Amino acid sequence: MGWGVRSRNFIQSGSFVCEYTGELLQELEAEERVGNDEYLFDIGKNGSGFTIDAAKFGNVGRFINHSCSPNLYAQNVLYDHDDKRMSHIMFFATKNIPPLRELTYDYNYKVDRVRDGNGNIKRKDCYCGSRSCSGRLY
């Protein structure tokens, strides 16, 4: 947290904020991007086989930081097709957000479940500063 995305304007609870955009990858291709996985966003709740990679190109969504007490949530949305495996990832406000407050969402990593290319468990500490901070992203 800190340098992330902020809005100059008040955002009302439930409002659409932005879409997370980038390169659409199949799951196997995404897994090959070992060491460069900071901007990967798996689509769907149960692993649909697709991932969005915003490392090379994307929009403001790739700069939204994690928080254990987020003010945004990610929602799978279908609007230009009906293939649930490739839904769009949209961010919506979970509460009223005053101007200049940092926009955050929960990255939803599972502790001790993220692995590197060799199968070793990866660890990343969380510094979100929330009162309910878990201390770890994964």
Side-chain angles (χ1 to χ4, degrees), residues 1-3 65-69 102 104 107 123-138:
M1 286 197 47
W3 280 98
N65 287 325
H66 164 82
S67 175
C68 293
S69 298
E102 183 175 7
T104 61
Y107 289 2
R123 178 186 172 101
K124 188 167 193 168
D125 293 331
C126 180
Y127 301 101
C128 73
S130 165
R131 283 185 231 149
S132 61
C133 181
S134 67
R136 284 181 63 187
L137 280 173
Y138 49 81

Side-chain angles (χ1 to χ4, degrees), residues 1-59:
M1 286 197 47
W3 280 98
V5 177
R6 298 169 190 272
S7 172
R8 291 183 188 189
N9 302 314
F10 173 84
I11 300 172
Q12 186 169 338
S13 179
S15 295
F16 168 73
V17 174
C18 73
E19 179 176 0
Y20 191 89
T21 63
E23 183 180 4
L24 182 64
L25 306 174
Q26 291 189 348
E27 186 176 4
L28 294 176
E29 188 177 0
E31 289 176 6
E32 292 173 0
R33 299 200 178 183
V34 177
N36 192 19
D37 59 358
E38 293 295 315
Y39 295 99
L40 296 180
F41 198 118
D42 290 334
I43 300 174
K45 295 186 190 292
N46 298 320
S48 65
F50 288 94
T51 298
I52 297 172
D53 185 356
K56 293 181 182 175
F57 65 90
N59 65 358

Side-chain angles (χ1 to χ4, degrees), residues 63-80:
F63 300 114
I64 298 174
N65 287 325
H66 164 82
S67 175
C68 293
S69 298
N71 53 20
L72 302 178
Y73 69 93
Q75 179 70 46
N76 297 319
V77 175
L78 297 174
Y79 69 85
D80 58 351

